[in-house]
């Protein structure tokens, strides 16, 4: 067996340029270490996965790191020059190396099978070319946040898996169809990213997961087909997404008007609502109401005839304030071409919506400069008044496209519900007289939201009447204001926000949170991962309930007999707890455990913070970003995650990192310490910017004068925030490379210094 392995390794060493470090880095054997290092930096900058758009950038970066690791080590370099390999491997390591080299792909690699047969070079090169491969970054920063308005489907496959190979054609077709519907389809390689698969809840493959509203749910059906996967996704979407109209269309339209939303109606003869319609409804449910009408139901006959619906062809109707006048009618043949989403996005708001939330106000009446400003006209009325005729007359102006071209939008607002918002606009100069038809006019507020929370406003003279004269006067006023002949008289700053009229209260929010928590717990019990937040939260909740019901009543009997500590003792007890967000503090009391006497294979990862106060450390955005970034690795027994105070260990840090002065420390610096082998890796977030020359100064130093104190501390806070952003963005990839063992620039330590007490 050893002879066979050596023969295979010999073939590998003589194979192609993909494993020749000299050709990989484009250097010569006679080049100096300085030249080799410069070549490595140049290629690393060019092929870094975060900067390169090439789909093979990650694989190329691994090869570059391997090549530099060989040529930067004199012993490995000499061994490669002699034997074409880097080290004398054991039989187990040789097997591992042999397996990885034979699966690399088209660049001259070998395969146990033919090129197009399973697990040959063609198979793996095809996998590497895929653009929908799932990574930890895309899962945490794209899928989970976007899953609250978009559905995602994840297929978990593995290498050397015949079932995965059998399902691959079906999955590729399914992914393409899902993308056309609006569902994001990703593929996860279990063998290359087992930690992410474990977080997802997968311990085997092939498996399929759907991510909806932050939930990752596994498909449990035995048989796997496109139809069953579609039904699985449909079952996970909220049941209240699409209303079913059965003869009560009047109530539906009245409720839609109260909800301040346009309506999207689907007429179809199918029993179930199509997945495309459900997905679009899920995406735009906060702005549009969606309903389904069964054309086979006799109770909907009048409704079908109202819109002249052909019951044999699915039809979508878009309706706004006037149900009898639909905005758009599209048949099923057009819907297959994906026009449904386009129809909805063009009709997200009513012609004249009610100002019912600050979000809607910000979207339709944004803060703009004078050259790009929107003139917003708001009719003030009472919910109990008869305002329909005044509203109808003003809505006719809102439907006129000329006003939209002039950047004018029309709204109405309920005075009683938005009393605080309206009270900030003084209305003492308005003296309304009855309209010519004898009705009372409505107050009309005209405003422009300028940048920096500035609002210029005025009240329309004599109020708004439902007469043609009032329409002509308002049109002239708009033209004069846009042309600059007249200006808005008043201004305010830092205006009060609108109340969200659609909010159901804290009790309803609590019920929804509890329901979501129960869903997560059920998902967690079904999946093997007991390290996710929902499972831990459930366990903590159970333990807390036991304490409330059992422990606290028993211990309360002894509280009166226990002397209360003095304020100084209480303060010491609070500060003695140095574990923050699950991270222990690295200091002189535990340096022997974490560093000096650390066993082989154990790595201590410490983030550096600049604070002595425990509360300041806990509230620092740096330590919070660090805790989020290392969440997926906390279960690995080979790593210990800690935090380190630079103010307490200045001398130790300067000696370890070979830094000359305190000011060279950057916020968010991370040390990966291997105590047994005496080496460290250093991660430094790039927080220096060129837009403000003051920010390029040292982050922490003693040179600032008293006059510069306020601005200096402000720059510190800015830099800390930017360092936290960098930690969230770049550090996950750095720690992945630490875990893979592909990090360059290892720093050897002759002897660990002692931390001061």
């Amino acid at each position: 067996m050893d002879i066979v392995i050596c023969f295979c390794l010999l073939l590998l060493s003589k194979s192609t340029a993909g494993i020749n470090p000299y050709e990989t880095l484009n250097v010569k054997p006679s080049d100096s270490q300085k030249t080799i290092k410069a070549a490595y930096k140049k290629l690393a900058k060019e092929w870094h996965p975060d900067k390169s758009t090439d789909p093979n950038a990650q694989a190329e970066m691994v090869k570059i790191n391997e090549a530099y690791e060989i040529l930067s080590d004199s012993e490995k370099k000499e061994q490669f020059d002699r034997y074409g390999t880097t080290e004398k491997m054991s039989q187990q390591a040789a097997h591992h190396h042999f397996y990885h080299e034979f699966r690399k792909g088209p660049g001259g690699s070998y395969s146990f099978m033919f090129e197009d047969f399973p697990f040959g070079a063609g198979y793996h090169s095809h996998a590497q070319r895929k653009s929908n491969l799932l990574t930890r970054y895309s899962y945490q920063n794209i899928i989970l946040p976007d899953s609250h308005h978009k559905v995602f489907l994840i297929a978990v496959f593995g290498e050397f898996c015949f079932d995965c190979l059998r399902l691959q054609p079906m999955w590729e077709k399914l992914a393409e169809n899902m993308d056309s519907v609006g569902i994001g389809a990703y593929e996860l390689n279990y063998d290359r990213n087992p930690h992410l698969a474990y977080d997802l809840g997968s311990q085997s493959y092939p498996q399929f997961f759907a991510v909806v509203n932050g939930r990752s749910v596994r498909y449990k059906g035995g048989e796997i087909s496109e139809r069953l996967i579609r039904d699985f996704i449909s079952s996970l979407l909220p049941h209240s997404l699409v209303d079913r109209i059965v003869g009560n269309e009047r109530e539906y339209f009245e409720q839609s008007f109260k909800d301040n939303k346009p309506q999207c109606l689907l007429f179809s003869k199918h029993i179930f609502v199509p997945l495309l319609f459900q997905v679009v409804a899920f995406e735009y449910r906060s702005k549009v109401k969606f309903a389904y009408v069964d054309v086979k139901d006799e109770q909907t006959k009048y409704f079908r005839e109202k819109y002249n619906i052909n019951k044999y062809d699915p039809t979508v109707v878009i309706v706004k304030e006037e149900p009898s006048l639909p905005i758009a009618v599209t048949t099923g043949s057009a819907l297959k071409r994906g026009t449904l989403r386009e129809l909805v996005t063009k009709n997200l708001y009513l012609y004249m919506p009610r100002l019912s939330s600050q979000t809607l106000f910000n979207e339709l009446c944004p803060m703009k400069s004078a050259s790009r400003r929107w003139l917003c006209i708001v009719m003030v009325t009472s919910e109990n008044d008869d305002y329909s005729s005044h509203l109808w007359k003003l809505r006719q102006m809102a439907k006129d496209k000329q006003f939209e071209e002039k950047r004018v939008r029309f709204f109405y607002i309920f005075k009683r519900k938005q009393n605080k918002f309206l009270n900030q606009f003084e209305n003492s100069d308005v003296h309304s007289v009855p309209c010519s038809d004898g009705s009372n006019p409505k107050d009309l507020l005209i405003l422009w939201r300028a940048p920096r929370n500035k609002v210029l406003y005025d009240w329309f003279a004599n109020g708004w009447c439902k007469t043609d004269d009032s329409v002509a006067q308002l049109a002239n006023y708009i033209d004069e204001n846009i042309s600059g002949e007249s200006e808005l008289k008043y201004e305010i700053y830092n205006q009060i926000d609108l109340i969200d009229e659609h909010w159901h209260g804290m009790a309803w929010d609590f019920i929804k949170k509890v329901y979501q928590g129960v869903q997560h717990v059920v998902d967690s019990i079904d999946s093997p991962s007991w390290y996710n937040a929902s499972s831990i939260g459930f366990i903590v909740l159970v333990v807390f309930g036991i304490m409330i019901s059992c422990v606290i009543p028993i211990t309360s009997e002894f509280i009166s007999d226990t002397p209360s500590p003095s304020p100084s003792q209480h303060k010491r007890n609070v500060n003695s707890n140095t574990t923050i967000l699950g991270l222990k503090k690295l200091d002189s009391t535990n340096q022997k455990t974490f560093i000096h006497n650390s066993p082989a294979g154990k790595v201590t990862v410490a983030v550096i913070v600049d604070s002595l106060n425990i509360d300041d450390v806990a509230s620092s955005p740096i330590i919070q970003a660090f805790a989020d970034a290392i969440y997926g690795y906390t279960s690995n027994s080979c790593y210990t995650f800690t935090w380190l105070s630079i103010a307490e260990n200045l001398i130790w840090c300067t000696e370890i990192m070979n830094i000359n002065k305190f000011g060279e420390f950057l916020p968010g610096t991370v040390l990966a310490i291997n105590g047994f082998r005496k080496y460290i890796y250093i991660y430094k977030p790039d927080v220096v910017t060129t837009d403000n020359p003051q920010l390029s100064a040292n982050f922490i130093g003693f040179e600032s004068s008293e006059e510069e104190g306020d601005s200096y501390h402000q720059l510190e806070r800015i830099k800390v925030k930017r360092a936290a952003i960098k930690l969230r963005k770049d550090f996950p990839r750095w720690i992945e490379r630490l875990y893979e063992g592909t990090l360059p620039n290892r720093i050897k330590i002759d002897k660990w210094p002692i931390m001061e007490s």
Side-chain angles (χ1 to χ4, degrees):
M1 179 62 70
D2 291 336
I3 297 176
V4 174
I5 293 173
C6 293
F7 175 73
C8 294
L9 291 175
L10 180 62
L11 288 177
L12 291 172
S13 64
K14 301 298 182 182
S15 61
T16 62
I19 56 172
N20 189 321
Y22 293 112
E23 295 186 10
T24 300
L25 298 182
N26 195 21
V27 295
K28 301 177 182 178
S30 59
D31 287 339
S32 63
Q33 284 294 324
K34 185 177 180 180
T35 304
I36 294 173
K37 187 174 182 179
Y40 164 75
K41 287 185 176 181
K42 180 180 179 182
L43 290 173
K45 185 177 181 181
E46 177 183 354
W47 288 98
H48 195 282
D50 293 339
K51 297 181 179 180
S52 176
T53 58
D54 194 298
N56 298 321
Q58 186 171 359
E60 191 68 24
M61 194 64 193
V62 172
K63 291 168 61 177
I64 293 170
N65 286 328
E66 290 177 355
Y68 181 68
E69 186 176 356
I70 294 172
L71 298 185
S72 61
D73 190 309
S74 58
E75 184 177 344
K76 289 183 179 181
K77 183 175 182 295
E78 181 182 358
Q79 199 168 22
F80 183 85
D81 292 341
R82 285 188 178 186
Y83 307 110
T85 184
T86 58
E87 57 185 62
K88 298 178 181 178
M89 296 178 288
S90 64
Q91 182 172 334
Q92 182 180 1
H95 275 296
H96 181 75
H97 183 74
F98 183 61
Y99 159 73
H100 278 284
E101 292 299 334
F102 266 89
R103 72 179 183 89
K104 279 189 175 179
S109 60
Y110 294 84
S111 173
F112 289 110
M113 304 183 185
F114 295 101
E115 184 72 15
D116 295 326
F117 207 71
F119 320 121
Y123 174 82
H124 290 285
S125 63
H126 174 69
Q128 290 177 355
R129 288 196 300 268
K130 292 183 177 179
S131 59
N132 65 335
L133 291 178
L134 183 64
T135 62
R136 180 175 295 277
Y137 178 84
S138 59
Y139 180 71
Q140 293 180 344
N141 296 277
I142 298 176
I143 292 180
L144 287 181
D146 292 353
S147 66
H148 295 279
H149 58 82
K150 183 177 180 179
V151 184
F152 292 91
L153 180 65
I154 301 174
V156 182
F157 291 152
E159 299 177 356
F160 293 96
C161 168
F162 286 97
D163 287 337
C164 303
L165 186 70
R166 177 178 57 84
L167 293 173
Q168 192 69 36
M170 185 277 293
W171 162 247
E172 292 179 357
K173 180 182 177 182
L174 176 62
E176 183 178 354
N177 293 338
M178 292 294 102
D179 183 68
S180 64
V181 171
I183 297 175
Y186 284 84
E187 182 177 331
L188 174 61
N189 189 305
Y190 185 97
D191 297 305
R192 297 184 183 181
N193 208 335
H195 291 279
L196 180 55
Y198 188 76
D199 291 344
L200 195 64
S202 173
Q203 279 192 333
S204 62
Y205 47 80
Q207 284 186 343
F208 292 87
F209 290 82
V211 183
V212 181
N213 274 334
R215 292 179 61 202
S216 172
V217 185
R218 180 172 62 89
Y219 172 70
K220 304 173 187 176
E223 184 182 352
I224 299 176
S225 66
E226 181 174 347
R227 178 71 264 172
L228 293 175
I229 295 294
R230 282 173 169 265
D231 294 341
F232 164 63
I233 294 175
S234 179
S235 66
L236 297 177
L237 293 170
H239 299 294
S240 59
L241 275 180
V242 181
D243 298 321
R244 285 186 176 267
I245 300 180
V246 186
N248 58 345
E249 68 276 4
R250 182 180 180 86
E251 296 179 9
Y252 171 77
F253 288 127
E254 289 178 353
Q255 184 60 43
S256 298
F257 185 73
K258 292 179 182 178
D259 292 339
N260 206 23
K261 295 179 179 180
Q263 304 93 48
C264 179
L265 313 175
L266 172 62
F267 294 81
S268 177
K269 64 180 180 179
H270 296 289
I271 299 176
F272 302 105
V273 181
L275 183 61
L276 169 63
F277 196 74
Q278 293 185 73
V279 169
V280 175
F282 180 68
E283 184 174 356
Y284 297 103
R285 66 190 185 279
S286 62
K287 297 180 179 179
V288 179
K289 288 201 67 166
F290 293 83
Y292 180 77
V293 183
D294 186 359
V295 296
K296 294 185 297 183
D297 193 336
E298 286 298 323
Q299 298 183 58
T300 64
K301 182 178 179 181
Y302 169 76
F303 201 23
R304 299 196 314 265
E305 293 176 350
K306 180 178 182 179
Y307 295 113
N308 193 23
I309 301 298
N310 180 1
K311 65 179 182 179
Y312 299 105
D313 201 0
T315 306
V316 169
V317 177
I318 305 291
V319 179
K320 291 190 177 181
E321 288 97 328
E322 301 171 70
S324 59
L325 299 175
I327 306 304
V329 178
T330 307
T331 59
S333 59
L335 292 177
K336 293 179 182 179
R337 295 192 294 268
T339 56
L340 175 60
R341 184 172 279 100
E342 183 181 355
L343 281 175
V344 174
T345 54
K346 288 182 178 179
N347 298 280
L348 294 177
Y349 307 99
L350 299 174
Y351 285 122
M352 186 175 169
R354 184 174 78 254
L355 288 182
S356 57
S357 68
Q358 187 65 29
T359 301
L360 186 143
F361 190 40
N362 293 339
E363 290 175 352
L364 295 183
C365 189
M367 298 181 185
K368 294 291 184 180
S369 60
S371 60
R372 301 291 296 169
R373 70 174 182 173
W374 280 90
L375 201 64
C376 303
I377 300 175
V378 185
M379 187 185 82
V380 182
T381 184
S382 176
E383 190 176 5
N384 301 323
D385 292 345
D386 183 14
Y387 61 89
S388 57
S389 55
H390 291 82
L391 187 63
W392 182 87
K393 197 67 176 181
L394 193 60
R395 188 185 295 134
Q396 299 307 308
M397 296 185 68
K399 293 172 65 175
D400 194 338
K401 291 188 178 296
Q402 66 163 325
F403 291 106
E404 184 177 357
E405 294 173 356
K406 295 177 180 179
R407 307 177 71 83
V408 180
R409 284 201 173 114
F410 297 83
F411 308 89
Y412 72 100
I413 191 171
F414 287 151
K415 185 175 183 179
R416 183 179 61 83
K417 289 187 176 181
Q418 304 294 346
N419 189 39
K420 290 184 178 180
F421 175 81
L422 290 171
N423 283 343
Q424 63 188 330
F425 302 101
E426 296 182 5
N427 196 11
S428 58
D429 296 337
V430 177
H431 303 283
S432 300
V433 296
C435 299
S436 58
D437 59 355
S439 61
N440 293 323
K442 299 293 182 182
D443 290 339
L444 208 62
L445 174 65
I446 302 170
L447 57 88
W448 159 43
R449 298 182 71 195
R452 299 182 181 180
N453 264 355
K454 178 182 178 181
V455 178
L456 284 82
Y457 72 96
D458 199 357
W459 293 90
F460 187 57
N462 299 325
W464 172 252
C465 296
K466 50 185 178 181
T467 61
D468 294 337
D469 292 341
S470 190
V471 172
Q473 292 173 10
L474 181 58
N476 291 334
Y477 180 87
I478 292 173
D479 291 336
E480 291 175 0
N481 194 277
I482 292 176
S483 62
E485 296 180 15
S486 63
E487 296 181 355
L488 300 175
K489 299 179 181 179
Y490 311 103
E491 62 181 43
I492 59 172
Y493 293 87
N494 301 318
Q495 71 272 17
I496 300 173
D497 289 344
L498 288 155
I499 297 173
D500 189 355
E501 298 177 10
H502 310 289
W503 182 52
H504 298 288
M506 296 181 62
W508 180 247
D509 286 349
F510 176 75
I511 293 173
K512 289 196 296 183
K513 289 291 184 182
V514 171
Y515 177 71
Q516 293 172 1
V518 172
Q519 285 183 319
H520 280 288
V521 170
V522 173
D523 298 338
S524 304
I525 293 175
D526 178 68
S527 63
S529 174
W530 278 95
Y531 291 98
N532 53 59
S534 57
S535 301
I536 295 174
F538 176 71
I539 295 172
V540 170
L541 184 63
V542 171
V543 173
F544 182 73
I546 294 174
M547 290 178 61
I548 291 293
S549 59
C550 301
V551 179
I552 292 181
I554 296 174
T555 56
S556 61
E557 300 177 4
F558 304 97
I559 292 179
S560 58
D561 300 330
T562 305
S564 59
S566 64
S568 60
Q569 289 176 332
H570 179 71
K571 185 175 182 179
R572 285 197 299 270
N573 291 336
V574 171
N575 290 336
S576 63
N577 182 14
T578 57
T579 300
I580 299 173
L581 300 179
L583 305 173
K584 295 183 179 180
K585 181 181 180 182
L586 176 59
D587 55 19
S588 58
T589 61
N590 54 24
Q591 61 176 327
K592 290 185 178 180
T593 303
F594 290 153
I595 302 177
H596 299 277
N597 300 333
S598 177
K602 192 79 171 181
V603 177
T604 299
V605 183
V607 61
I608 296 178
V609 297
D610 177 42
S611 181
L612 288 170
N613 186 280
I614 299 300
D615 295 333
D616 292 343
V617 175
S619 61
S620 171
I622 287 179
I623 201 167
Q624 293 175 7
F626 179 75
D628 292 342
I630 56 95
Y631 171 75
Y633 298 89
T634 53
S635 59
N636 193 321
S637 59
C638 295
Y639 292 88
T640 300
F641 297 96
T642 64
W643 62 275
L644 175 69
S645 173
I646 182 62
E648 291 181 352
N649 304 283
L650 175 60
I651 299 176
W652 186 86
C653 288
T654 54
E655 188 172 350
I656 286 291
M657 300 173 64
N658 193 22
I659 289 179
N660 296 325
K661 61 179 181 177
F662 187 31
E664 293 183 10
F665 284 105
L666 293 174
T669 298
V670 179
L671 305 179
I673 306 170
N674 190 317
F676 183 80
R677 296 190 179 275
K678 292 185 175 61
Y679 67 79
I680 64 171
Y681 290 107
I682 302 176
Y683 167 82
K684 294 182 180 180
D686 181 15
V687 296
V688 178
T689 60
T690 56
D691 55 346
N692 189 339
Q694 298 182 40
L695 290 180
S696 63
N698 293 331
F699 169 59
I700 304 174
F702 303 111
E703 297 83 8
S704 60
S705 63
E706 294 181 358
E707 292 80 10
E708 297 173 335
D710 294 339
S711 61
Y712 178 76
H713 290 299
Q714 184 179 3
L715 293 178
E716 281 189 12
R717 290 192 294 270
I718 293 174
K719 215 160 189 181
V720 167
K721 290 181 179 179
R722 292 184 177 179
I725 294 173
K726 282 290 184 179
L727 269 174
R728 293 185 184 276
K729 180 180 179 182
D730 300 335
F731 185 69
R733 175 56 186 156
W734 188 88
I735 199 170
E736 280 188 11
R737 294 183 61 190
L738 173 67
Y739 181 81
E740 296 167 356
T742 59
L743 279 178
N745 303 328
R746 176 191 297 179
I747 301 175
K748 291 289 292 181
I749 305 295
D750 296 332
K751 182 180 179 182
W752 294 114
I754 303 297
M755 292 182 174
E756 296 183 5
S757 301

